[in-house]
Amino acid sequence: MKSFFIGNMEVKLPVIQGGMGVGVSLSKLASAVANEGGIGVISCAGLGLIYSKQPGNYLSRCISGLKEEIRKAKEKTNGIIGVNIMVALTNYADMVKTSISEKVDVIFAGAGLPFDLPSYLTKESTTKLVPIVSSSRAAKILCDKWKNNYNYLPDAIVIEGPKAGGHLGFKTEQIDDEHFSLEQIIPEVLNITTQYKEEKDIPVIVAGGISSGKDIHHFLDMGVSGVQMGTIFVTTEECDASTEFKNVFVNAKQEDIKIIQSPVGMPGRAIDGEFIRSVEKGQEVPKSCPFHCIKTCDYSKSPYCIVQALYQAAKGNMKKGYAFTGINVHLSQKISSVKEVIERLKSEFRGAQLEA
């Protein structure tokens, strides 16, 4: 597997661990992936809940929690650490400013288009900015907006396809439509990034349903620089979620996967279970909103509190929450170390090279 550069930063292993909240990918998982040469990513979603014992309100605990996670990760690795920030978060600006001031290597921003992301950079900033998009149209709009408003182009672009876990940037009817597959989107996005080649080299990273070294070989062969993988890292010893949560993935079958409508206003891919069935019966309606963590969420119309549901699940309380997952969760067989997962991917990649 070839290394690639994001700006002046060499990514030795072209594997980015997807940011998974709430509390699934924090400093422990991120540092383990970074130590193997990939990019380890901390999810900043719901940190105020995870750090509930700290002083202050939810929003201030999100800031202190993110600082702590970045510092813990940096203590454990000299590799590349990123932060995943959802544009839909109410405290999106706080999370961006904190990441930049803590000199995190990369910000990955999705769940909405981060039109103003470069505005938070200062002259001293070293943080690279990588938007997550679902189409060539979104990539083009974002590149032009950043260039016109800030004279800045993305340091890389992540294309997230419809086979990803969690929130999907597609309409429900597009998710299984081959016209929206990564194979369709990749050439279109590469065509966009080529238009800016003289000004900046913008590597393209792909995400969504990538679960083997053979998959990595397939996409690198299509001309992308790297892949983002989430589900495969849930069933690792270093994953920050509970063993109970990881076992949901180990035991999941293909037919357990469900497309749900999230309170965020987007479809999402999740593992079906008791909580989701309870939501469908209208039994999880929130009585108040102590966090207001998502800009678009109105608790009086929401079927449940998503930050609470994801937090409870990560802690292992599956009666009160559920797990988001990529399409290939059924391939999760056991809990392994990050090192073992990476070695397997490398071995499968070499096998695919020999077959090619």
Side-chain angles (χ1 to χ4, degrees):
M1 287 191 227
K2 247 172 55 181
S3 69
F4 73 100
F5 281 84
I6 297 179
N8 57 357
M9 188 172 68
E10 185 178 9
V11 185
K12 295 200 167 77
L13 180 81
V15 173
I16 292 88
Q17 163 249 311
M20 296 173 284
V22 171
V24 179
S25 68
L26 300 172
S27 54
K28 196 175 165 192
L29 177 57
S31 58
V33 174
N35 279 331
E36 295 303 317
I39 301 182
V41 180
I42 295 162
S43 166
C44 70
L47 284 169
L49 256 181
I50 296 161
Y51 281 85
S52 59
K53 291 186 171 67
Q54 288 198 355
N57 62 16
Y58 175 80
L59 294 174
S60 66
R61 293 197 305 268
C62 283
I63 294 170
S64 56
L66 182 55
K67 285 180 179 175
E68 194 163 323
E69 288 300 326
I70 293 169
R71 288 170 188 174
K72 277 196 227 165
K74 286 186 169 184
E75 280 166 17
K76 295 177 192 161
T77 185
N78 293 318
I80 301 171
I81 294 293
V83 171
N84 178 284
I85 306 173
M86 295 199 300
V87 180
L89 292 176
T90 310
N91 62 346
Y92 159 78
D94 283 347
M95 297 292 89
V96 173
K97 288 174 190 168
T98 304
S99 300
I100 291 170
S101 68
E102 290 296 315
K103 294 185 166 51
V104 82
D105 297 305
V106 198
I107 288 173
F108 295 94
L113 291 177
F115 287 129
D116 66 344
L117 192 54
S119 72
Y120 298 97
L121 292 174
T122 62
K123 283 181 183 167
E124 300 76 44
S125 301
T126 55
T127 301
K128 305 290 186 280
L129 306 181
V130 180
I132 302 169
V133 300
S134 298
S135 68
S136 58
R137 183 173 173 270
K140 175 72 174 155
I141 290 168
L142 206 62
C143 286
D144 288 346
K145 282 258 191 203
W146 283 18
K147 192 180 167 202
N148 294 335
N149 294 346
Y150 309 106
N151 196 27
Y152 195 96
L153 284 166
D155 296 294
I157 290 174
V158 174
I159 317 168
E160 197 164 87
K163 294 181 179 179
H167 294 116
L168 304 170
F170 298 87
K171 293 174 183 164
T172 307
E173 63 272 15
Q174 294 172 336
I175 292 170
D176 296 319
D177 186 337
E178 61 187 39
H179 293 100
F180 297 92
S181 68
L182 279 176
E183 283 78 4
Q184 289 288 323
I185 303 168
I186 287 168
E188 296 168 1
V189 176
L190 289 172
N191 185 35
I192 300 294
T193 56
T194 305
Q195 294 170 24
Y196 303 97
K197 201 126 188 110
E198 287 182 16
E199 295 164 80
K200 193 171 192 174
D201 187 24
I202 307 172
V204 173
I205 297 154
V206 291
I210 301 164
S211 51
S212 69
K214 190 174 182 179
D215 292 343
I216 298 171
H217 184 270
H218 167 66
F219 288 115
L220 294 189
D221 217 30
M222 288 190 73
V224 305
S225 300
V227 299
Q228 179 179 290
M229 307 174 85
T231 303
I232 199 169
F233 290 114
V234 173
T235 51
T236 59
E237 289 152 13
E238 295 91 341
C239 172
D240 295 87
S242 64
T243 304
E244 290 83 357
F245 182 82
K246 296 172 193 181
N247 282 331
V248 170
F249 284 70
V250 172
N251 298 324
K253 302 179 185 71
Q254 210 161 6
E255 57 266 28
D256 295 332
I257 296 173
K258 192 160 194 170
I259 301 295
I260 62 168
Q261 273 306 123
S262 160
V264 176
M266 303 166 94
R269 181 174 279 107
I271 300 171
D272 199 7
E274 191 177 331
F275 180 80
I276 288 175
R277 290 191 287 274
S278 180
V279 167
E280 287 168 352
K281 291 173 190 164
Q283 295 170 346
E284 300 294 336
V285 181
K287 294 176 181 67
S288 65
C289 176
F291 313 118
H292 190 54
C293 58
I294 303 285
K295 292 172 191 168
T296 53
C297 185
D298 175 355
Y299 86 88
S300 66
K301 295 174 186 166
S302 186
Y304 61 93
C305 173
I306 189 167
V307 72
Q308 278 282 13
L310 297 177
Y311 172 65
Q312 290 297 334
K315 286 202 309 177
N317 183 4
M318 301 311 294
K319 288 184 177 178
K320 285 290 166 193
Y322 64 90
F324 276 139
T325 179
I327 201 166
N328 290 319
V329 67
H330 60 285
L331 300 177
S332 307
Q333 300 295 318
K334 59 175 184 161
I335 295 171
S336 323
S337 68
V338 164
K339 188 177 263 309
E340 286 170 323
V341 169
I342 299 292
E343 287 308 318
R344 191 181 82 237
L345 291 174
K346 286 179 178 175
S347 169
E348 290 166 351
F349 185 87
R350 286 191 294 269
Q353 272 183 316
L354 292 170
E355 282 174 26

